[in-house]
């Protein structure tokens, strides 16, 4: 909890934010059913940092995933923890998500 | 994350239905419930499936596809049985339920445009079973037959969901074929029930058993047992549900022919609905509540109390059914109801605890 407190007080300037920073916070967004983060699950397709906003392209493992809104909100919230700027999350279905998009480490864990 | 207050009325409708369904169930087992009369006494099953579960499934799918128009399904099934108290003709209620079932089909068809995966086809098949069951209900067909269609609807809906998650794992083509064969076996046995009920129920039981074994091998829940607290709780509930699915399959394989009032019919139905379906609800509630209402639930080990209590209550009920012990059956229905009540209480407490923690953290900052 104390880490979040620190981050909340010391938000990074947009000019200093990198895709690596965004990926790092998205590593903390966990799908509660599998307990796997959305980066390892391969749900994040693209991260773009503009002057006035951050764009994220993400997908779900299925269009009837009940976690859709929850995960989108979590993505926005986690990025806003480190930088105070509008975050646009675009839900995309192409290419379709498949098992090959999961990180190797998680794949090995799921064998 | 702000609470999605707009969805609370839908959830309240679902809770209204389960409460009415439980009260009618208690009346059927011999308890005195004042508002229940002979006109609605046979509605215990229809309310639980169409009033409670169909509302929840419609709601969950609508939130997922993010199309407001689809909320009509959850509204129709949620409100239908409320109309009983306004003395609306039961035929109208049955038609509203049928419309709600069609809404679910449209949701799946929309999803199918995006993703032509087998798990969506299976859920469409399941919803077709619900529609057939509801049409038979409109025609006042035998409940012992209708229940098979409704049960298969729930099995296919849950199987579709679990299959979707199982695609995280790698399984062979042979295992896929076995799964598809068991799905086809279920479907054929349902149609066979119009011609030979006794044989069809046994085949249905066999297909349920194969599906249960398949998930015991391939469900991702097995990989989640060594995980953190919440994920492990979810996995345990899911495995618990499969065990009950296996037990209900065995009952139907052994017994075959069911008639209304038969104690083993009660054992079959409740090992499936309470053991399998409610275990799955217990598993998903801590993650579905946040997804639907944007309310965070603070997981606590106390969640195991409602799971353990549920199991004790079903075991009591099945012992009463097998040994034809009417008074024990009567007590077991109270225990079943208390398990669901305990689940609701534990969930509400965990929401309250979570809000207290958030408030404290904000104050600290």
């Amino acid at each position: 909890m104390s880490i979040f407190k620190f981050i909340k007080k010391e938000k990074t300037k947009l000019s200093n934010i990198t895709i690596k920073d965004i990926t790092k916070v998205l590593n903390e967004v966990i799908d509660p059913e599998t307990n796997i983060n959305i980066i390892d699950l391969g749900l994040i397709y693209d991260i773009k940092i503009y002057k006035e906003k951050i764009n994220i392209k993400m997908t779900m493992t299925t269009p009837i995933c009940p976690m859709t809104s929850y995960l989108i909100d979590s993505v926005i919230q986690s990025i806003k923890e480190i930088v105070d700027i509008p975050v646009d999350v675009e839900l995309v279905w192409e290419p379709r998500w498949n098992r090959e998009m999961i990180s190797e480490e998680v794949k090995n864990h799921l064998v | 994350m702000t609470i999605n207050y707009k969805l609370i009325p839908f959830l309240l409708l679902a809770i209204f239905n389960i409460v009415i369904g439980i009260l009618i169930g208690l009346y059927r087992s011999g308890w005195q419930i004042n508002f229940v009369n002979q006109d609605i006494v046979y509605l215990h099953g229809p309310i639980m499936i169409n009033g409670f579960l169909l509302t929840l499934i419609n709601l969950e799918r609508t939130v997922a596809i993010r199309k407001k128009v689809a909320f009509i399904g959850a509204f129709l099934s949620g409100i239908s049985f409320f109309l009983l108290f306004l003395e609306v003709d039961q035929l109208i209620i049955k038609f509203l339920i049928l419309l709600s079932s069609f809404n679910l089909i449209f949701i799946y068809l929309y999803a199918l445009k995006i993703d032509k995966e087998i798990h969506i086809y299976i859920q469409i098949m399941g919803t077709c079973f619900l529609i057939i069951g509801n049409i038979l209900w409109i025609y006042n067909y035998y409940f012992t037959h209708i229940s098979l269609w409704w049960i298969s609807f729930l099995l296919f809906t849950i199987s579709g969901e679990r299959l979707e998650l199982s695609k995280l794992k790698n399984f062979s083509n042979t295992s896929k074929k076995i799964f598809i064969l068991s799905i086809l076996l279920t479907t054929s046995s349902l149609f066979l029930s119009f011609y030979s009920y006794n044989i069809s129920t046994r085949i249905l039981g066999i297909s349920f058993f194969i599906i249960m074994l398949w998930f015991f091998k391939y469900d991702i829940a097995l990989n989640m047992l060594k995980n953190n607290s919440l994920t492990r709780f979810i996995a345990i509930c899911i495995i618990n549900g499969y065990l009950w699915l296996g037990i209900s399959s065995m009952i139907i394989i052994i017994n075959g022919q069911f008639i209304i009032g038969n104690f083993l019919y009660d054992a079959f139905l409740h090992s499936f609905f309470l053991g399998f379906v409610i275990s799955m609800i217990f598993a998903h509630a801590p993650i579905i509540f946040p997804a639907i209402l944007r309310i965070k639930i603070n997981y606590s080990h106390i969640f195991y109390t409602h799971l353990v209590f549920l199991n004790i209550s079903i075991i009591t009920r099945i012992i009463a059914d097998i040994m034809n012990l009417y008074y024990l059956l009567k007590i077991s229905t109270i225990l079943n109801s208390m398990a669901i009540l305990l689940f609701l209480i534990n969930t509400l407490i965990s929401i309250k605890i979570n809000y207290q923690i958030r408030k404290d953290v904000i104050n600290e900052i």
Side-chain angles (χ1 to χ4, degrees):
Chain A
M1 203 57 76
S2 58
I3 295 166
F4 279 103
K5 268 171 69 181
F6 171 74
I7 291 169
K8 266 178 182 267
K9 283 179 181 173
E10 301 292 329
K11 284 186 182 174
T12 317
K13 284 180 183 170
L14 181 65
S15 53
N16 296 335
I17 286 281
T18 63
I19 288 179
K20 204 177 165 188
D21 296 326
I22 303 289
T23 309
K24 200 174 167 188
V25 289
L26 294 185
N27 261 316
E28 304 297 317
V29 178
I30 308 287
D31 168 32
E33 186 149 36
T34 57
N35 201 34
I36 301 170
N37 71 68
I38 58 171
I39 296 286
D40 279 341
L41 271 178
L43 299 183
I44 300 297
Y45 282 176
D46 192 28
I47 300 169
K48 281 208 165 65
I49 302 169
Y50 297 104
K51 273 183 186 170
E52 71 290 355
K53 65 173 182 175
I54 292 173
N55 266 15
I56 307 283
K57 278 189 183 171
M58 73 181 290
T59 193
M60 294 290 143
T61 56
T62 172
I64 47 172
C65 173
M67 307 308 292
T68 307
S69 298
Y70 173 80
L71 289 177
I72 290 175
D73 283 353
S74 301
V75 165
I76 295 171
Q77 209 176 15
S78 62
I79 295 173
K80 280 181 178 282
E81 295 279 356
I82 56 163
V83 59
D84 197 8
I85 188 173
V87 180
D88 273 356
V89 178
E90 192 186 342
L91 197 60
V92 293
W93 303 107
E94 285 299 331
R96 277 302 298 125
W97 180 92
N98 62 69
R99 192 176 181 274
E100 292 312 306
M101 294 173 177
I102 304 175
S103 71
E104 285 305 315
E105 193 190 341
V106 171
K107 253 190 238 173
N108 294 336
H109 172 70
L110 291 173
V111 169
Chain B
M1 216 176 280
T2 51
I3 298 172
N4 199 344
Y5 290 103
K6 287 175 189 167
L7 299 187
I8 289 178
F10 292 102
L11 214 63
L12 290 178
L13 281 175
I15 292 172
F16 163 80
N17 277 285
I18 194 173
V19 169
I20 298 297
I22 287 172
L23 290 175
I24 296 176
L26 289 173
Y27 177 87
R28 283 167 67 98
S29 61
W31 297 99
Q32 191 60 41
I33 308 287
N34 285 336
F35 79 91
V36 183
N37 57 42
Q38 287 308 309
D39 289 338
I40 62 168
V41 72
Y42 71 94
L43 290 178
H44 169 66
I47 291 178
M48 286 304 204
I49 294 153
N50 285 311
F52 173 58
L53 292 166
L54 181 58
T55 302
L56 277 191
I57 296 166
N58 254 317
L59 186 61
E60 196 183 311
R61 300 292 181 267
T62 305
V63 170
I65 64 162
R66 295 148 62 98
K67 295 282 171 201
K68 283 181 184 168
V69 67
F71 279 117
I72 189 75
F75 175 74
L76 288 175
S77 51
I79 203 82
S80 291
F81 291 101
F82 182 75
L83 299 177
L84 274 176
F85 298 93
L86 302 176
E87 296 186 356
V88 172
D89 192 296
Q90 286 196 18
L91 191 61
I92 294 171
I93 292 171
K94 289 177 181 179
F95 271 106
L96 293 178
I97 292 289
L98 189 62
L99 285 177
S100 174
S101 324
F102 275 108
N103 181 76
L104 192 56
I105 284 277
F106 291 133
I107 291 175
Y108 288 132
L109 290 177
Y110 172 80
L112 205 60
K113 282 201 300 186
I114 300 168
D115 190 3
K116 291 179 178 48
E117 289 269 352
I118 183 174
H119 70 92
I120 299 182
Y121 284 108
I122 288 168
Q123 293 184 74
I124 289 176
M125 283 172 77
T127 313
C128 289
F129 298 160
L130 174 73
I131 289 171
I132 294 171
N134 283 337
I135 291 171
L136 294 174
W137 183 39
I138 287 172
Y139 281 97
N140 294 318
Y141 205 68
Y142 311 109
F143 262 116
T144 45
H145 285 66
I146 296 170
S147 61
L148 301 182
W149 294 90
W150 282 345
I151 281 171
S152 303
F153 152 63
L154 291 170
L155 179 67
F156 276 34
T157 301
I158 294 169
S159 296
E161 281 181 359
R162 298 310 306 168
L163 188 68
E164 194 275 317
L165 275 169
S166 302
K167 69 186 180 187
L168 265 64
K169 285 174 88 171
N170 200 10
F171 40 80
S172 65
N173 279 335
T174 314
S175 65
K176 280 180 196 165
K177 282 175 191 163
I178 292 171
F179 188 80
I180 292 168
L181 275 175
S182 62
I183 291 292
L184 293 176
L185 196 63
T186 308
T187 312
S188 356
S189 64
L190 285 173
F191 284 99
L192 184 67
S193 69
F194 289 116
Y195 306 100
S196 176
Y197 183 76
N198 194 20
I199 295 171
S200 72
T201 48
R202 289 174 203 270
I203 299 173
L204 193 73
I206 292 167
S207 70
F208 280 19
F209 200 77
I210 297 171
I211 291 172
M212 182 273 293
L213 289 178
W214 195 93
F215 277 116
F216 251 112
K217 183 159 173 59
Y218 295 108
D219 196 301
I220 194 171
L222 296 158
N223 297 71
M224 300 303 149
L225 281 172
K226 288 179 187 166
N227 250 307
N228 73 3
S229 318
L230 172 62
T231 313
R232 187 168 53 240
F233 172 75
I234 292 171
I236 288 171
C237 286
I238 288 165
I239 292 166
N240 188 67
Y242 289 142
L243 286 172
W244 283 114
L245 177 63
I247 291 168
S248 64
S249 311
M250 292 308 293
I251 295 171
I252 196 172
I253 291 169
I254 293 165
N255 196 66
Q257 188 85 35
F258 286 124
I259 49 166
I260 296 278
N262 179 328
F263 273 35
L264 280 176
Y265 180 57
D266 183 81
F268 163 63
L269 289 182
H270 291 90
S271 54
F272 183 88
F273 285 113
L274 290 169
F276 177 57
V277 179
I278 298 291
S279 289
M280 292 294 175
I281 291 177
F282 283 4
H284 289 100
I287 52 173
I288 293 301
F289 270 106
I292 293 182
L293 295 175
R294 319 272 172 92
I295 289 174
K296 281 203 174 178
I297 288 182
N298 202 42
Y299 169 77
S300 152
H301 291 317
I302 203 142
F303 282 12
Y304 282 99
T305 56
H306 55 254
L307 180 66
V308 170
F309 203 87
L310 178 77
N311 282 337
I312 293 169
S313 75
I314 311 170
I315 291 167
T316 312
R317 186 163 189 154
I318 292 187
I319 291 171
D321 282 329
I322 291 172
M323 299 180 78
N324 264 354
L325 299 172
Y326 172 71
Y327 285 105
L328 189 62
L329 179 66
K330 200 175 163 184
I331 290 165
S332 73
T333 58
I334 287 283
L335 296 177
N336 296 151
S337 315
M338 282 169 67
I340 293 172
L341 186 67
L342 189 60
F343 155 69
L344 292 173
I345 291 170
N346 281 346
T347 308
L348 285 173
I349 289 173
S350 66
I351 291 168
K352 201 181 168 196
I353 288 172
N354 186 61
Y355 270 82
Q356 192 55 48
I357 291 171
R358 278 179 62 179
K359 226 169 129 182
D360 292 347
V361 168
I362 289 164
N363 288 340
E364 232 178 276
I365 292 169

